[in-house]
Amino acid sequence: KNQVEQSPQSLIILEGKNCTLQCNYTVSPFSNLRWYKQDTGRGPVSLTIMTFSENTKSNGRYTATLDADTKQSSLHITASQLSDSASYICVVSNSNSGYALNFGKGTSLLVTP
Amino acid sequence: IAGITQAPTSQILAAGRRMTLRCTQDMRHNAMYWYRQDLGLGLRLIHYSNTAGTTGKGEVPDGYSVSRANTDDFPLTLASAVPSQTSVYFCASKAQLNTEAFFGQGTRLTVV
């Protein structure tokens, strides 16, 4: 069964600090992995996409890594800001299932002053 | 502005009533999806459509139906609403296999 597990479930950090969110998956065959940010009351918005051949990708203060051998990804947030408070969702696509998306349950991040 | 639009934004519905949630995209995306999001359960797929004229069942399809008469619209119908269908519903669309999925702003539905 294709599964996506995220940790931690929730996280509280002080403004300006760094944090790392984890995503483990069993989706096979792997197509790509995306991290989405979902602000409260809004729909998810894509932050990064990682394909099989990529092991790191940055988008501003967000850096995603991918280890396709161990089926793990991380999202590192540098110098956190209050606006980073949101849910971060890991989404893995299966290349055998057309457009199918496999969602993690998300990590809820709260950045406090 | 191109994008994906859901209506209504929120709705309170009496149990047993019929309700259609609307979703429209103007990006000419092939695939469209309906998800429900519940606290602690994340986003769960209700129904999907890989192209106009075709639909498929997701993880939690019971009590819901969809149609895809054209590329742009993908309505979700609750034939007879029940309180367990209280949730936030998100519509999404996707152009091709390795492209980004775009989400609507969500519909908050409360069935009482």
Side-chain angles (χ1 to χ4, degrees):
Chain A
K1 182 179 179 181
N2 292 322
Q3 289 187 311
V4 180
E5 301 288 339
Q6 291 187 241
S7 61
Q9 183 176 357
S10 62
L11 184 62
I12 301 174
I13 62 173
L14 290 174
E15 184 179 14
K17 297 296 186 181
N18 304 336
C19 67
T20 299
L21 314 180
Q22 300 291 343
C23 175
N24 296 339
Y25 62 91
T26 61
V27 177
S28 181
F30 173 84
S31 175
N32 62 73
L33 183 149
R34 284 188 181 269
W35 283 94
Y36 281 80
K37 179 186 180 188
Q38 184 178 20
D39 293 313
T40 301
R42 308 292 294 272
V45 176
S46 178
L47 291 173
T48 67
I49 180 171
M50 310 282 289
T51 58
F52 186 85
S53 60
E54 297 172 307
N55 54 26
T56 187
K57 183 171 284 188
S58 293
N59 178 2
R61 293 179 298 102
Y62 300 101
T63 298
T65 65
L66 173 66
D67 185 333
D69 292 331
T70 61
K71 298 187 177 181
Q72 295 180 327
S73 176
S74 65
L75 181 69
H76 186 73
I77 304 175
T78 303
S80 61
Q81 301 176 357
L82 298 179
S83 59
D84 292 332
S85 295
S87 179
Y88 291 84
I89 304 170
C90 178
V91 184
V92 184
S93 295
N94 180 330
S95 60
N96 270 358
S97 300
Y99 298 93
L101 302 173
N102 300 280
F103 285 81
K105 294 182 180 179
T107 292
S108 178
L109 174 66
L110 177 64
V111 181
T112 63
Chain B
I1 298 176
I4 183 165
T5 304
Q6 293 182 233
T9 302
S10 64
Q11 181 75 44
I12 299 174
L13 185 67
R17 297 296 296 269
R18 180 185 180 90
M19 172 78 187
T20 295
L21 308 185
R22 300 184 298 278
C23 177
T24 300
Q25 54 101 1
D26 59 4
M27 298 174 283
R28 308 302 292 172
H29 285 174
N30 288 326
M32 296 188 75
Y33 311 83
W34 273 106
Y35 295 92
R36 59 178 290 173
Q37 188 174 36
D38 303 287
L39 192 64
L41 297 177
L43 284 149
R44 293 182 293 168
L45 182 65
I46 304 171
H47 285 285
Y48 66 93
S49 169
N50 282 341
T51 189
T54 68
T55 62
K57 294 182 179 180
E59 181 183 357
V60 288
D62 294 343
Y64 306 95
S65 64
V66 292
S67 62
R68 187 87 184 276
N70 57 62
T71 297
D72 298 344
D73 302 301
F74 191 43
L76 176 73
T77 297
L78 289 68
S80 178
V82 295
S84 62
Q85 291 177 311
T86 294
S87 186
V88 181
Y89 291 85
F90 286 99
C91 180
S93 71
K94 199 169 185 288
Q96 299 173 16
L97 183 60
N98 287 326
T99 59
E100 175 183 355
F102 290 84
F103 287 81
Q105 79 278 19
T107 294
R108 181 173 295 275
L109 179 67
T110 303
V111 182
V112 298

